[in-house]
Amino acid sequence: MRTYQMYIDGAFVSSKTDKTIEVINPATKKVISHIPAASNAEVEEAIASSKKAQKAWEALPAVERGNYLRKIAAEIRANAKMLAETITEEQGKIISLATVEVNFTADYLDYMAEWARRYEGEIVQSDRPNENIFIFKQAIGVTSGILPWNFPFFLIVRKLAPALITGNTIVIKASSETPNNAFEFAKLAHKVGLPKGVFNLVSGSGGTVGNTLAGHKDIGMVSFTGSVDTGVKIMEAASKNIIKVNLELGGKAPAIVCKDANLDAAVNFIKNSRVINTGQVCNCAERVYVQKDVVESFTKKMVEAMKHVTYGNPMDTKVDMGPLIDEKAVHNIDGMVERARKSGAKVLTGGHIGSNKDGFYYEPTVVTDLNQKSELIQEEIFGPVLPIVTFDTLDEAIEMANDSDYGLTSSIYTQNLDIAMRACREIKFGETYINRENFEAMQGFHAGFRKSGIGGADGKHGLEEYLATHVVYLQYDLKKNF
Ligand code: NAD
């Protein structure tokens, strides 16, 4: 059994309240560690530490700030096995995917470090003679990052790297379900000598720790990834001090499969969407619309593919899928499938809680005979369940795809360029993938429409979320004789 400490002002500390939270391995239901449950006062200490450190950090040349990011990336690569095992143990994703997450995280730090010499302000024309207007891009100040459990390690740096390279400091709160990897990250940041206070890590409940990080007057921006319901609470807390919010919330990605699509590719990518991380990915296809002419063939192939998906202990390199995050998730998903069944839907494969009772498992499931109003089509499932709806015309498919509170990602499978381009114009989502899996690039921009969020992450546009715009008007007198 491990006990972790928070990382505040360059030191590893326990909570003075002595309150702890148990962390569970979802594949065994066993307690694997205890983490501190911070008090409000301790979160305040972390914020004060980040505030104190910010001025000197911003004063460092960006390229030196980037060097710290590169050093952390190197430490991550050197410890990749331990980090991947830590993630798998507490989150349940299969070990090969955890390894991808770890390596991608290191690459992301390197990528963000490259921005050191690249982000720029502007000089614009003035309406007056002898004047320059400078648009400076400067740090916001102290930022906070509140994380979910599904890609817990990567999400640390998706927030920390753009914050730090642009001269901000950051206080991070890991999810209480998956905090161990964040404590391991803190050890690596400490090892490379990141100046104290530049990054602080606190742990505890959302209502206490998260709420303070979202609403404190010394926080300039709160970057949150998680559910819509918590996003609403973050906005409420932030509103008290008019704090900038950056929200990456849920998704309900539609996949449209047209009659001319490469069906085998579509089946493979969409099946993987429901299997990767046991379907607990905000950007993956969660509902599929298939054109009438090919629905029978698509469904047959999909059921076959899902029947071959294996699940079990995620440390076992032979399984395709690990457990869900907790018992609540299993019952939520089971309830949704049961309600669909009762309202006349057909469950073609799966549809039950996993037979392996050691962990929180659910069977790979395919459901048909649903309509647009069905709960499985409207609500986020976050599990290995694929609902299929049939469409006749492209107009109909686009209308159903857009009929959602969420607007994060979407995809379309077609060989016809006209159809693909129409979809790009008419599908109202932050991302659209054409003939490929839903997986964003670090140089893109991951952002959702509607209730999927405000602002976004990655690439140049994600970096700019962490920059404040400061305009300076400089008048000078060229005629004066000095
Ligand atoms: P969650 O909203 O339950 O929790 C996220 C974090 O918020 C946790 O650290 C939690 O402790 C904290 N929190 C809880 N209440 C709070 C409060 N009142 N104030 C401040 N913080 C609070 O989400 P989750 O269950 O960890 O993650 C799953 C959700 O995240 C899904 O809806 C998924 O779609 C979404 N997600 C979105 C993206 C994206 O990029 N859009 C990425 C990953 C996950």
Side-chain angles (χ1 to χ4, degrees):
M1 177 82 54
R2 276 158 291 155
T3 304
Y4 283 104
Q5 293 181 303
M6 297 184 285
Y7 185 58
I8 300 179
D9 207 31
F12 289 92
V13 293
S14 305
S15 170
K16 291 183 199 88
T17 64
D18 277 340
K19 283 196 190 134
T20 58
I21 299 172
E22 287 181 344
V23 180
I24 311 276
N25 179 339
T28 62
K29 303 186 183 173
K30 298 217 165 85
V31 179
I32 49 176
S33 66
H34 286 107
I35 60 155
S39 65
N40 253 330
E42 285 157 336
V43 184
E44 296 252 3
E45 266 175 48
I47 296 170
S49 153
S50 280
K51 190 178 174 189
K52 206 164 128 214
Q54 198 269 327
K55 207 170 152 197
W57 179 249
E58 188 177 2
L60 271 188
V63 74
E64 287 182 37
R65 297 197 293 266
N67 286 341
Y68 284 106
L69 299 189
R70 289 183 210 278
K71 283 184 193 161
I72 300 174
E75 283 298 329
I76 288 174
R77 290 193 183 96
N79 290 280
K81 187 168 180 291
M82 175 276 290
L83 291 166
E85 286 170 2
T86 305
I87 296 169
T88 292
E89 187 188 29
E90 61 186 332
Q91 196 260 300
K93 61 167 58 86
I94 54 173
I95 190 72
S96 57
L97 181 61
T99 306
V100 170
E101 181 175 350
V102 169
N103 290 327
F104 192 79
T105 301
D107 292 350
Y108 197 92
L109 281 159
D110 282 342
Y111 166 73
M112 280 294 167
E114 285 175 18
W115 278 103
R117 293 194 180 93
R118 295 206 166 101
Y119 73 94
E120 297 167 341
E122 293 167 38
I123 304 170
V124 294
Q125 296 298 327
S126 169
D127 294 345
R128 299 182 180 188
N130 304 337
E131 182 176 79
N132 278 135
I133 303 175
F134 298 98
I135 298 183
F136 285 96
K137 291 286 181 179
Q138 293 167 335
I140 293 172
V142 182
T143 60
S144 61
I146 303 176
L147 313 182
W149 47 260
N150 64 341
F151 283 89
F153 193 66
F154 168 57
L155 279 154
I156 301 171
V157 314
R158 197 183 228 176
K159 300 187 188 307
L160 172 141
L164 264 49
I165 198 66
T166 47
N168 301 280
T169 54
I170 192 161
V171 184
I172 296 268
K173 175 201 154 346
S175 164
S176 300
E177 270 93 357
T178 55
N180 297 351
N181 67 86
F183 294 114
E184 296 297 345
F185 178 91
K187 289 181 196 166
L188 302 181
H190 185 70
K191 191 172 166 200
V192 305
L194 192 68
K196 70 176 183 183
V198 167
F199 155 60
N200 286 289
L201 176 67
V202 288
S203 54
S205 78
T208 304
V209 178
N211 186 59
T212 306
L213 287 180
H216 196 280
K217 67 176 176 37
D218 289 334
I219 298 286
M221 176 169 97
V222 51
S223 176
F224 167 73
T225 303
S227 62
V228 173
D229 287 350
T230 310
V232 170
K233 289 183 189 147
I234 301 267
M235 283 185 86
E236 281 168 1
S239 69
K240 286 186 219 112
N241 283 305
I242 319 292
I243 294 165
K244 179 178 176 183
V245 293
N246 172 279
L247 304 175
E248 304 280 317
L249 307 178
K252 186 72 196 170
I256 298 175
V257 181
C258 300
K259 61 184 175 192
D260 68 331
N262 175 337
L263 277 197
D264 289 328
V267 166
N268 186 39
F269 291 135
I270 295 169
K271 182 262 296 175
N272 286 345
S273 248
R274 300 316 325 133
V275 171
I276 184 171
N277 210 20
T278 320
Q280 304 166 115
V281 191
C282 62
N283 67 3
C284 277
E286 268 238 357
R287 53 190 167 120
V288 56
Y289 299 99
V290 186
Q291 202 152 17
K292 203 169 68 186
D293 320 54
V294 291
V295 73
E296 203 180 313
S297 155
F298 175 90
T299 307
K300 204 167 154 228
K301 285 171 188 273
M302 181 58 78
V303 168
E304 212 35 49
M306 287 291 256
K307 275 187 176 158
H308 280 94
V309 172
T310 56
Y311 64 91
N313 193 313
M315 288 292 188
D316 176 352
T317 52
K318 287 192 268 326
V319 301
D320 300 320
M321 202 171 82
L324 291 161
I325 188 70
D326 57 21
E327 189 104 50
K328 198 168 138 224
V330 177
H331 291 296
N332 272 347
I333 292 166
D334 197 43
M336 287 175 101
V337 173
E338 259 328 291
R339 286 190 288 280
R341 223 185 231 129
K342 282 195 185 121
S343 63
K346 280 201 192 111
V347 178
L348 300 185
T349 185
H352 303 105
I353 294 174
S355 53
N356 177 350
K357 303 290 179 218
D358 293 345
F360 306 122
Y361 295 100
Y362 199 81
E363 293 177 347
T365 300
V366 177
V367 187
T368 59
D369 290 31
L370 294 155
N371 63 48
Q372 183 58 19
K373 297 276 166 269
S374 309
E375 185 187 23
L376 286 179
I377 294 297
Q378 291 292 336
E379 303 296 329
E380 201 178 30
I381 307 169
F382 237 50
V385 176
L386 183 72
I388 300 176
V389 168
T390 309
F391 73 88
D392 218 340
T393 64
L394 187 63
D395 281 342
E396 207 189 324
I398 291 176
E399 198 183 316
M400 289 194 284
N402 286 339
D403 171 32
S404 174
D405 281 350
Y406 297 101
L408 190 57
T409 78
S410 53
S411 61
I412 183 159
Y413 295 85
T414 176
Q415 306 291 318
N416 183 322
L417 192 60
D418 299 332
I419 292 177
M421 289 316 294
R422 233 194 94 190
C424 292
R425 286 169 62 103
E426 295 181 19
I427 295 184
K428 304 295 182 197
F429 283 76
E431 283 161 46
T432 300
Y433 298 91
I434 302 174
N435 297 325
R436 58 157 281 191
E437 83 280 22
N438 303 27
F439 188 78
E440 64 266 23
M442 61 181 80
Q443 67 273 35
F445 185 53
H446 179 60
F449 293 6
R450 300 184 287 279
K451 286 189 182 170
S452 287
I454 296 177
D458 309 336
K460 175 179 154 190
H461 300 284
L463 188 88
E464 287 189 348
E465 297 277 314
Y466 288 84
L467 289 166
T469 304
H470 181 179
V471 186
V472 174
Y473 299 84
L474 173 70
Q475 278 216 354
Y476 44 85
D477 190 345
L478 290 176
K479 293 196 190 92
K480 216 176 201 167
N481 201 359
F482 292 101

